[in-house]
Amino acid sequence: MSPQIIQLHSENANADISAQIVAGLSRPAGQKKLPTMLLYNERGLQLYDDITTKATEYYPFGAEEEILKNKVDEIVQTMHHGETRVFTDEIILELGAGALRKTSRILLSLSRLVNAASTRAPITYYALDLEEREIVRTLGEISASEIGESLQGKVDTKGLCGTYDDGLKFVLEGGLNVNDNINPVLTSLSLFGLGDISPISSTGTSTFISSWDSSSEEDSDYSPISTPDEAQLPLHILFLGSSLGNFSREEAVEFLGSLPLRAGSGDTLLIGLDHNNDKAEIEEAYNDPQGLTKEFIMNGLRAAGTALGNEDMFKQKNWEYVNRYDSGAPLSSFRLSSGLRQGITLLRMIPPSMLYQKPIDLRHICLFYFGHIPTFLDIHLSRLLQEPHTEPEIFKYIFERGIDPNVDDPTQCHVHSTVPEKDEDWPTLTSILQFQTRVRARVLKLYADIDSNRISLTRKVARVLFMTFEHEAHHAETLLYMLIQRAGTGTLPPPGFAIPPWRSLAAIWDSAPLPKTKTVTLGPAEVTLGHDDAETDDMDPLFAKDVDGHEFGWDNEHGVRVVQVGKFSIEWRPVTNGEFFEFYLRKGKGLVEIPASWVKDDGEIKVRTLYGPVPMNVAQHWPVIASYNDLSTYAAVKGGRIPTEAELRLFYDTFDSGYGGGANVGFRNWHPIPATTGLEHGSGSNGGVWEWTSTLFDTYDDFVPSGLYPGYSVDFFDGAHQVVIGASYATIPRIAERKTFRNWYQRNYPYAWVGGRVVYDVKQEEVL
């Protein structure tokens, strides 16, 4: 006879878990997590059973089993306040029942408290777990065993299929007929980080906690509470298997406080906890040499992919299982670390037919950038090392420098390479990639020579390495903002990344809190711009070997400048797509252009992403990407203006959370997200865009052009470019984190990933 199973999963369980996965992965760096319940599908429960039976290093299970083997009758009697028999009907609820090997000892001991079997067993045991088939299997095995024979007429066994939330809610709503007089308010438990019977914790030995008032033990007239009303049945909760270790301390307090235990009713909680074992022993327990625990965790990744519609979404080859024990916490934790880095081959996003096309007329064809990046590197390595150029040497004449022509008159442009006019005259892609490989080999050899002390790491050597590395990052971003113009009509999505679940993300973004006030007031203040990084010092014997800890920058960053700013109010967040869309349709009609970051699709305006256009209601909270001219017009109509470089720098220095605080840079996402500044503590990020300033990109006192790259800044001191600071979602963290870094674009250039925010001058009388 099959055991009775009560299905508690909500109708929207699959949608809920999908939303939880998305929400967990959308958290800031260092806080990302997946629902622990993903580990406990049918396969996961079987793998955990393997861990407890085959991994001898996993001591918590064995330690708990040994305690129950030797002390179970004493424990069960303590649950009944020292009584040796059961006087009333009662309920046993186990959270995360698993294979029931330890639980069977408790059930047997409970049966010994019942004098005689009857048609209606006085004790009912409910096994709460996630997978119905596993519950049926384990309860069936108990029933068919000698243990089952001993339980007949004394202990009924049933199953509850659902999460902790589901089970505890079921109790509170009277599902077990024990909810009368339950007072605690059950807060909604987040499933993120909550464990069931996971071996990924540091808990193991058993401790007994009872809600019974121990002072009653001294009363010789004490007898268990007699409650003929079925609603008053005692409830005994079992929380074995080291599961509390899956919670943070705050979550553990919340969870334990939410359990439906009633003071004075005879309710109890039996919980398993570990003592403070050796760090190495704990870490080995959760990373056994057989790899069983790793497989258990990796199965959770497959479950996450399945929940999102693709079992192979999280490819195991791109992840590693990392386990560590924090003695200060104290809990053992694991993490999955993706091996994918921002070296995703951009070439795989470009169909062969697009290589000779210009997604943006003001830039070269796509193929150019695959030749330009290694050529720039090769030229500077040859100058540094006094070595010949990598063959074919002709590449330096084709690929040395790209273009940034005047938007209004593209015939006007700085000095640049002369490129072929016909497709057939360009070098082949194969020859370019072979050249790239040879140049990369030169870099690796240079690093090897530095490591072996054949070449000294001087300021000049370090500067060339710094400059060529960041140059590559700049142009990777340039190529990406070109490719996005053809996303959905040519450009392929980022390889190895699933298309984001836009609908679920939009729901999360729509419900996210907003700042209580639109603006924050800053100033007056002195703002420091720039840093001390004179390139001429590279050849000075006093500084030539002063490399460690030195902050390198480009020529327009050098020179510490102190700027006085007055009092001003600045909006917490950049202008959003939704705000600019409203403006474009109404007050800005005829005043601004449709942003190049938008596209009309069957009469509907959508927002471009590298995955293809998305509806405006998905991207409405993202910062809008638009030209300086259009955002300046928007600000002026609102009665404000675009901030100066110093004003925006002051805001960033005060409130920007940085990459470590979750800023959307370094390909944390392949698209913008809503800004997060302006909440309880103010700090956050702008959502993943550069930001315009009203400061003209121009020379300044003590500016010295770079000797290595003389035209880097000077060629753009033309009165047409604005200073841009911050970072986009495709900017590498080392650039995004350097406060002195300055970018620049023509004020009417619409393609770069730049947004903007509005500032308002504070009138003098307001200051006074």
Side-chain angles (χ1 to χ4, degrees):
M1 181 178 177
S2 297
Q4 178 185 351
I5 307 295
I6 301 174
Q7 183 59 248
L8 302 181
H9 281 306
S10 65
E11 294 181 358
N12 298 320
N14 289 337
D16 290 344
I17 191 65
S18 297
Q20 291 163 20
I21 292 169
V22 172
L25 295 178
S26 300
R27 291 163 63 93
Q31 300 178 31
K32 295 182 185 297
K33 52 185 177 180
L34 291 170
T36 306
M37 63 184 294
L38 291 170
L39 299 171
Y40 302 104
N41 59 10
E42 185 175 359
R43 174 63 177 155
L45 290 171
Q46 293 168 355
L47 287 168
Y48 177 71
D49 197 40
D50 286 343
I51 292 171
T52 60
T53 56
K54 300 177 182 178
T56 56
E57 298 82 5
Y58 180 56
Y59 67 85
F61 184 94
E64 215 170 49
E65 190 171 41
E66 184 70 14
I67 290 171
L68 290 172
K69 177 182 177 181
N70 297 324
K71 300 288 184 178
V72 67
D73 287 336
E74 182 179 336
I75 291 171
V76 167
Q77 287 179 25
T78 305
M79 289 168 61
H80 294 82
H81 317 306
E83 295 297 326
T84 57
R85 58 194 177 99
V86 172
F87 291 92
T88 63
D89 291 350
E90 59 187 39
I91 301 293
I92 312 294
L93 171 64
E94 181 167 15
L95 307 179
L100 303 182
R101 290 203 304 278
K102 290 176 295 185
T103 306
S104 63
R105 296 183 181 278
I106 297 174
L107 297 181
L108 270 176
S109 182
L110 285 167
S111 71
R112 290 193 285 269
L113 294 184
V114 181
N115 283 340
S118 63
T119 56
R120 182 178 178 277
I123 300 173
T124 304
Y125 165 79
Y126 289 89
L128 173 67
D129 224 320
L130 292 168
E131 286 293 328
E132 183 171 355
R133 284 192 293 186
E134 273 300 286
I135 300 173
V136 170
R137 181 184 69 81
T138 54
L139 289 180
E141 289 177 355
I142 288 283
S143 178
S145 68
E146 292 182 0
I147 295 174
E149 294 179 6
S150 300
L151 300 183
Q152 287 182 7
K154 297 180 178 181
V155 180
D156 278 346
T157 58
K158 302 179 181 181
L160 299 176
C161 187
T163 65
Y164 289 165
D165 281 348
D166 296 330
L168 297 178
K169 181 181 179 183
F170 184 69
V171 174
L172 284 170
E173 292 178 347
L176 300 182
N177 293 320
V178 295
N179 69 320
D180 285 7
N181 302 324
I182 294 177
N183 193 30
V185 177
L186 179 64
T187 57
S188 177
L189 295 175
S190 167
L191 292 176
F192 296 101
L194 305 193
D196 289 42
I197 51 171
S198 170
I200 314 305
S201 65
S202 64
T203 57
T205 58
S206 295
T207 301
F208 179 75
I209 301 176
S210 173
S211 62
W212 170 62
D213 184 354
S214 61
S215 64
S216 300
E217 193 173 13
E218 299 175 3
D219 187 350
S220 60
D221 296 329
Y222 171 76
S223 62
I225 300 173
S226 178
T227 54
D229 184 348
E230 195 177 21
Q232 297 294 318
L233 299 183
L235 173 65
H236 303 288
I237 296 178
L238 309 182
F239 196 37
L240 308 177
S242 314
S243 300
L244 195 68
N246 293 332
F247 295 72
S248 69
R249 288 190 173 189
E250 294 75 16
E251 289 171 336
V253 170
E254 180 182 358
F255 179 78
L256 294 175
S258 72
L259 296 177
L261 301 171
R262 304 155 300 174
S265 66
D267 293 352
T268 63
L269 168 66
L270 179 63
I271 189 169
L273 298 170
D274 194 10
H275 54 76
N276 191 20
N277 285 319
D278 177 74
K279 180 178 185 292
E281 182 182 9
I282 294 173
E283 291 185 340
E284 186 178 34
Y286 301 107
N287 194 9
D288 60 277
Q290 300 177 66
L292 296 172
T293 305
K294 177 181 178 181
E295 175 60 19
F296 176 70
I297 298 304
M298 291 301 180
N299 179 69
L301 277 181
R302 285 191 291 271
T306 300
L308 295 177
N310 180 2
E311 179 179 290
D312 297 321
M313 180 177 295
F314 303 101
K315 297 184 184 301
Q316 291 193 31
K317 67 180 182 179
N318 297 326
W319 297 79
E320 63 176 323
Y321 169 63
V322 182
N323 170 64
R324 65 178 176 83
Y325 173 70
D326 184 354
S327 58
L331 64 105
S332 179
S333 64
F334 73 93
R335 63 183 173 88
L336 288 164
S337 174
S338 174
L340 290 175
R341 296 296 182 261
Q342 56 202 23
I344 297 297
T345 306
L346 296 179
L347 184 60
R348 293 172 60 193
M349 298 176 66
I350 306 173
S353 60
M354 273 185 61
L355 282 172
Y356 298 93
Q357 296 176 8
K358 294 182 178 182
I360 294 175
D361 287 337
L362 298 172
R363 293 294 184 265
H364 282 312
I365 64 172
C366 296
L367 184 70
F368 172 84
Y369 294 90
F370 293 101
H372 172 58
I373 291 172
T375 297
F376 182 88
L377 172 57
D378 188 65
I379 288 171
H380 285 279
L381 287 177
S382 293
R383 290 174 181 171
L384 173 70
L385 303 173
Q386 296 296 297
E387 295 175 351
H389 293 287
T390 302
E391 293 294 337
E393 190 172 352
I394 192 175
F395 277 15
K396 70 180 182 181
Y397 302 112
I398 301 173
F399 295 116
E400 180 176 7
R401 200 171 188 203
I403 56 172
D404 178 19
N406 185 282
V407 173
D408 296 322
D409 181 7
T411 64
Q412 302 298 313
C413 189
H414 58 81
V415 176
H416 57 85
S417 302
T418 301
V419 299
E421 296 183 0
K422 298 179 180 180
D423 292 354
E424 58 267 27
D425 293 335
W426 282 89
T428 64
L429 176 61
T430 300
S431 66
I432 292 173
L433 296 179
Q434 290 173 344
F435 172 77
Q436 182 186 85
T437 300
R438 291 192 289 271
V439 176
R440 296 289 189 214
R442 291 189 73 184
V443 177
L444 293 176
K445 183 178 184 302
L446 174 57
Y447 277 111
D449 287 344
I450 292 171
D451 287 342
S452 63
N453 295 319
R454 285 192 291 269
I455 293 179
S456 296
L457 182 60
T458 63
R459 277 267 194 102
K460 185 174 182 180
V461 172
R463 188 175 301 280
V464 168
L465 291 172
F466 142 81
M467 181 180 69
T468 52
F469 174 73
E470 290 199 355
H471 170 268
E472 181 167 341
H474 296 332
H475 284 283
E477 185 168 341
T478 298
L479 184 54
L480 281 169
Y481 78 62
M482 290 167 54
L483 293 177
I484 204 171
Q485 293 297 313
R486 292 289 306 279
T489 60
T491 301
L492 302 175
F497 291 84
I499 296 175
W502 297 120
R503 183 176 299 179
S504 297
L505 287 169
I508 293 171
W509 295 331
D510 286 345
S511 62
L514 296 173
K516 293 181 179 179
T517 59
K518 187 73 173 176
T519 65
V520 61
T521 300
L522 297 174
E526 286 187 346
V527 180
T528 300
L529 303 176
H531 62 180
D532 185 9
D533 176 42
E535 190 176 321
T536 52
D537 287 347
D538 294 354
M539 306 308 294
D540 187 325
L542 292 175
F543 302 104
K545 294 188 177 181
D546 183 16
V547 176
D548 189 29
H550 179 74
E551 183 177 74
F552 292 90
W554 298 85
D555 57 9
N556 64 67
E557 297 176 61
H558 169 62
V560 177
R561 309 179 299 285
V562 178
V563 179
Q564 183 71 39
V565 298
K567 192 172 186 180
F568 62 97
S569 293
I570 185 168
E571 293 196 352
W572 278 113
R573 298 181 176 183
V575 182
T576 66
N577 282 307
E579 291 169 333
F580 198 79
F581 184 61
E582 179 76 13
F583 178 74
Y584 171 78
L585 294 178
R586 291 177 172 76
K587 291 184 179 181
K589 193 170 185 178
L591 299 178
V592 296
E593 303 282 341
I594 182 172
S597 61
W598 298 355
V599 61
K600 288 185 178 180
D601 185 6
D602 291 332
E604 178 186 358
I605 291 181
K606 295 184 177 181
V607 177
R608 299 182 192 272
T609 78
L610 289 166
Y611 302 92
V614 298
M616 182 62 70
N617 63 0
V618 169
Q620 62 180 324
H621 303 297
W622 299 358
V624 67
I625 292 171
S627 70
Y628 173 85
N629 285 350
D630 285 343
L631 284 169
S632 183
T633 299
Y634 173 92
V637 172
K638 287 194 66 175
R641 56 180 173 79
I642 300 298
T644 65
E645 179 183 8
E647 288 171 334
L648 187 56
R649 173 47 57 198
L650 177 61
F651 178 86
Y652 280 172
D653 288 350
T654 307
F655 298 113
D656 186 61
S657 61
Y659 181 73
N664 186 30
V665 299
F667 296 98
R668 182 158 273 144
N669 298 281
W670 285 77
H671 55 82
I673 60 173
T676 57
T677 42
L679 299 181
E680 183 178 357
H681 301 293
S683 64
S685 74
N686 74 353
V689 295
W690 297 91
E691 289 194 53
W692 292 107
T693 78
S694 59
T695 301
L696 190 69
F697 186 62
D698 205 351
T699 188
Y700 51 84
D701 291 344
D702 300 326
F703 171 79
V704 179
S706 168
L708 293 174
Y709 191 174
Y712 176 76
S713 297
V714 171
D715 285 353
F716 305 98
F717 291 162
D718 55 8
H721 291 75
Q722 301 296 132
V723 172
V724 169
I725 64 174
S728 83
Y729 59 88
T731 306
I732 62 173
R734 64 169 291 143
I735 293 176
E737 296 286 274
R738 194 164 73 245
K739 296 181 179 181
T740 57
F741 184 83
R742 309 166 85 213
N743 207 342
W744 65 91
Y745 292 104
Q746 292 179 65
R747 63 179 65 92
N748 55 348
Y749 186 66
Y751 301 108
W753 290 338
V754 189
R757 71 182 72 215
V758 183
V759 299
Y760 305 90
D761 293 314
V762 177
K763 297 179 181 178
Q764 187 62 31
E765 55 268 27
E766 294 179 29
V767 176
L768 297 175

